[in-house]
Amino acid sequence: MRHVMLASVLALLATSAANAQAPDAAGAGEITPALRKACEGDYQRFCAGVQPGGGRILQCLKTHGSNLSETCRTALTEHRP
């Protein structure tokens, strides 16, 4: 069951990356494999209900910045869409 949930999360994150637009003022951009790996748990906790695409997952993660794991915060800081 856990593998199915993890596969679903990875599919959602991959879909988000595939649907992402060029960077804009809202912070839309591609989710890199490194960012995906660093933020999987935070995505599950805070953004699982967010529809992928248009930078919405990145924006959700950034909105929860102070609650994110150190690994995810660092990855977001280093992220260059």
Side-chain angles (χ1 to χ4, degrees):
M1 180 65 150
R2 183 179 175 144
H3 293 290
V4 172
M5 184 185 310
L6 181 57
S8 296
V9 168
L10 292 175
L12 282 172
L13 289 172
T15 300
S16 175
N19 291 334
Q21 301 170 355
D24 61 17
E30 185 175 327
I31 296 177
T32 63
L35 183 61
R36 184 177 305 127
K37 182 178 179 183
C39 296
E40 283 179 39
D42 296 292
Y43 167 80
Q44 289 178 354
R45 277 189 293 277
F46 303 115
C47 304
V50 174
Q51 181 180 357
R56 287 184 285 271
I57 291 176
L58 282 174
Q59 189 60 44
C60 176
L61 289 170
K62 290 176 183 179
T63 299
H64 293 282
S66 63
N67 297 315
L68 298 176
S69 66
E70 183 65 31
T71 303
C72 185
R73 275 196 310 269
T74 300
L76 281 171
T77 300
E78 296 172 354
H79 178 67
R80 300 290 182 254

